[in-house]
Amino acid sequence: MENANALKLIKKIQSDLIADGLVVENIVADLQKLREFALLEEKPVLVKSIRLAYEHIQNNNAFLIAIPSDEPVEEEEGATKPEQEAKNDTESLQYLLSLYKDINNKHNLEDLRDYNTRLSTF
């Protein structure tokens, strides 16, 4: 994101996560504000990602999506997907927030699209 206020808000969310853990009401409200900045910047992948993230947090009272792997993983039949485990992954949420800071980086954009896919199909 290019807006200085949006970047400050991302840092605030990250600091809050470290200090207080995932406080659903606060994180959702902050992500909704952040989405407004993304709308102004006209970055559809970012707007969608932020919306999917706060909807996921609202619906699950947690962030249950793991950090995307660099290498594709072949799943065994009957194996549980990591995101199906009831584990709050604040490290993954921190990583997602860091992607928001620079979506012009093609690797960040790829990871962001991966998160979008995984959040949509959760």
Side-chain angles (χ1 to χ4, degrees):
M1 298 191 81
E2 297 162 12
N3 183 304
N5 290 325
L7 294 172
K8 284 181 191 173
L9 184 54
I10 292 170
K11 285 182 183 178
K12 176 198 175 298
I13 297 168
Q14 289 177 315
S15 296
D16 290 350
L17 266 174
I18 292 167
D20 306 324
L22 187 99
V23 179
V24 173
E25 302 80 32
N26 298 345
I27 298 276
V28 168
D30 286 342
L31 287 173
Q32 288 172 335
K33 285 182 210 166
L34 187 63
R35 185 171 179 266
E36 292 172 18
F37 289 115
L39 283 166
L40 293 173
E41 290 188 20
E42 299 179 354
K43 308 262 187 199
V45 174
L46 182 61
V47 172
K48 182 177 182 177
S49 177
I50 295 169
R51 178 183 56 81
L52 289 171
Y54 73 69
E55 286 175 351
H56 175 81
I57 293 168
Q58 277 179 318
N59 294 334
N60 298 290
N61 288 321
F63 191 79
L64 304 173
I65 306 296
I67 294 174
S69 173
D70 287 341
E71 300 172 18
V73 177
E74 291 183 28
E75 292 182 20
E76 295 178 25
E77 210 169 302
T80 18
K81 293 180 183 177
E83 54 263 6
Q84 289 178 339
E85 297 171 8
K87 177 183 160 226
N88 197 10
D89 199 338
T90 55
E91 184 181 341
S92 180
L93 182 54
Q94 286 280 10
Y95 179 65
L96 179 61
L97 290 165
S98 71
L99 295 177
Y100 293 164
K101 293 179 185 176
D102 183 16
I103 66 162
N104 294 323
N105 176 313
K106 75 175 190 173
H107 301 293
N108 289 0
L109 192 56
E110 285 175 25
D111 279 356
L112 203 53
R113 286 189 173 122
D114 188 17
Y115 268 108
N116 286 356
T117 301
R118 295 165 80 204
L119 283 163
S120 294
T121 58
F122 185 83

